[in-house]
Amino acid sequence: MQKLDLIVNDLRKDGYRITPQRVAIIDYILNTESHPTAESLHEVIQKKHPMVSLATVYKTLDLLKKKGIVQELRLAGGSRYDANVGRHVNLVCVNCGKIEDVDYDLLEEIENKVARKSKYDIVGSKFELYGYCSNCQKAGIAK
Amino acid sequence: MQKLDLIVNDLRKDGYRITPQRVAIIDYILNTESHPTAESLHEVIQKKHPMVSLATVYKTLDLLKKKGIVQELRLAGGSRYDANVGRHVNLVCVNCGKIEDVDYDLLEEIENKVARKSKYDIVGSKFELYGYCSNCQKAGIAK
DNA sequence: ATCTATGCAAACATTTTGCAGGCTG
DNA sequence: CAGCCTGCAAAATGTTTGCATAGAT
């Protein structure tokens, strides 16, 4: 069974409606490695599905974020979205915005290794954990 | 010698002018652990130095980023700035936006350890490397 | 005296929101 | 056929820019 179908079934089970817009967006983001912005995603999808507005793209991406289907990378020039939600390292060019995925072993060695392998001039790195702090868990907000 | 003085001397050596606005901003960000946004930084600094505009805060933060003195964390609700530019882990509450710094050993164990220690409900993580790709290095753009 | 840095306000880019109507279940 | 989802447009948010002037060197 396709990954798309699994996600669609999951959403349906949760009571979400399966619209052509949502399917098109999910399908596209599952099958690209381009880390699109909301706007570039909208442009590409409109070619096949003229009936998709930018607002719907944003709303759908919000839904997919909540469901853990996509990850949002907040970068200069707007957020980019990534269906690869497993633990992974993104190599971001702070000049042109290009993003590449990188395999790695241990944190301690990553930076040097990556610099050597990629020919990137590394100017910084960041490992961030996202979650709900204990206060917010108690309050049960917006989860 | 104070860290502030070192930075100020460095900037002066590079030909940048040492204005009260810049000193106030650098001084504040060096001595806070609150990961302020540009706007919150502006509010706090205005209390002591009414002559600091928000535009100047942004311009100064850009300068400090270029000099490697601060790190920008792009999060929901706006970027946050952090004088701790060494390699470190930020623990971000995706609900209230609180940011805490975390010590760590090895990447493999971080997520579980942090979840246990912090009582955070971890919903995702991200380790990003920032740098200039080889193309951009050749082109020598905007560095 | 020179010329960078500032403040102001307008411009800009991205994302969010409200509402009327359409489509899924 | 009930109510969630959509498209549109306006609004909100966060950041950048242009220009005249103040102020650091």
Side-chain angles (χ1 to χ4, degrees):
Chain A
M1 189 184 266
Q2 300 282 337
K3 215 172 178 186
L4 175 61
D5 298 320
L6 288 170
I7 290 172
V8 163
N9 286 341
D10 239 42
L11 290 178
R12 205 194 312 270
K13 203 183 305 170
D14 286 355
Y16 294 102
R17 295 192 175 167
I18 307 308
T19 64
Q21 289 90 336
R22 283 178 174 173
V23 174
I25 292 168
I26 298 168
D27 188 31
Y28 179 74
I29 206 162
L30 282 180
N31 294 300
T32 183
E33 295 183 358
S34 68
H35 303 271
T37 62
E39 190 135 7
S40 70
L41 210 157
H42 178 231
E43 277 172 29
V44 173
I45 286 180
Q46 270 208 330
K47 286 177 188 163
K48 278 202 173 181
H49 308 266
M51 292 282 82
V52 179
S53 74
L54 184 56
T56 296
V57 169
Y58 275 107
K59 286 167 186 169
T60 301
L61 288 172
D62 277 349
L63 171 61
L64 298 177
K65 275 190 287 175
K66 273 185 203 151
K67 290 288 147 188
I69 296 161
V70 303
Q71 181 173 220
E72 185 180 4
L73 306 177
R74 291 181 177 271
L75 304 173
S79 289
R80 285 153 176 274
Y81 296 87
D82 187 345
N84 175 12
V85 290
R87 186 193 273 167
H88 67 286
V89 179
N90 289 302
L91 183 56
V92 183
C93 179
V94 295
N95 198 160
C96 68
K98 185 174 58 179
I99 307 175
E100 298 169 54
D101 294 334
V102 179
D103 291 331
Y104 60 86
D105 297 328
L106 293 177
L107 177 60
E108 282 191 297
E109 301 177 355
I110 288 178
E111 211 168 295
N112 290 334
K113 272 190 188 168
V114 170
R116 240 179 288 134
K117 281 191 194 174
S118 67
K119 298 177 192 162
Y120 262 60
D121 176 16
I122 302 288
V123 298
S125 65
K126 193 168 66 192
F127 175 47
E128 291 179 354
L129 296 165
Y130 297 98
Y132 296 87
C133 67
S134 43
N135 285 342
C136 290
Q137 288 179 57
K138 280 175 204 158
I141 321 169
K143 199 173 170 184
Chain B
M1 190 185 266
Q2 300 282 335
K3 213 172 180 186
L4 174 62
D5 297 320
L6 289 170
I7 291 172
V8 163
N9 286 341
D10 241 42
L11 291 178
R12 204 192 314 268
K13 202 183 305 170
D14 286 353
Y16 294 102
R17 295 188 177 170
I18 307 307
T19 63
Q21 289 90 335
R22 284 178 173 173
V23 175
I25 292 167
I26 298 168
D27 188 32
Y28 179 73
I29 206 162
L30 282 179
N31 294 301
T32 183
E33 296 183 359
S34 67
H35 302 271
T37 62
E39 190 134 8
S40 72
L41 211 158
H42 178 231
E43 276 172 29
V44 174
I45 286 180
Q46 270 209 329
K47 286 177 188 162
K48 278 201 172 180
H49 309 264
M51 292 284 85
V52 180
S53 72
L54 184 56
T56 296
V57 170
Y58 276 107
K59 287 167 185 168
T60 302
L61 289 173
D62 278 349
L63 172 62
L64 298 177
K65 275 190 287 175
K66 274 184 202 151
K67 291 287 147 191
I69 295 160
V70 303
Q71 181 173 222
E72 184 180 5
L73 306 177
R74 293 180 177 272
L75 304 173
S79 289
R80 284 152 176 275
Y81 297 87
D82 187 344
N84 174 13
V85 290
R87 187 193 272 166
H88 66 287
V89 179
N90 289 300
L91 182 55
V92 183
C93 179
V94 294
N95 198 157
C96 68
K98 186 173 59 179
I99 307 176
E100 298 170 53
D101 294 334
V102 178
D103 291 331
Y104 59 87
D105 297 328
L106 293 176
L107 178 60
E108 283 191 297
E109 300 177 357
I110 289 178
E111 212 169 295
N112 291 333
K113 271 191 188 166
V114 170
R116 238 178 291 133
K117 280 191 192 171
S118 67
K119 298 178 195 162
Y120 262 60
D121 176 16
I122 302 288
V123 297
S125 67
K126 194 168 66 191
F127 175 47
E128 291 179 353
L129 297 165
Y130 297 98
Y132 295 88
C133 66
S134 43
N135 284 343
C136 291
Q137 287 180 56
K138 281 174 203 160
I141 321 168
K143 198 174 169 182

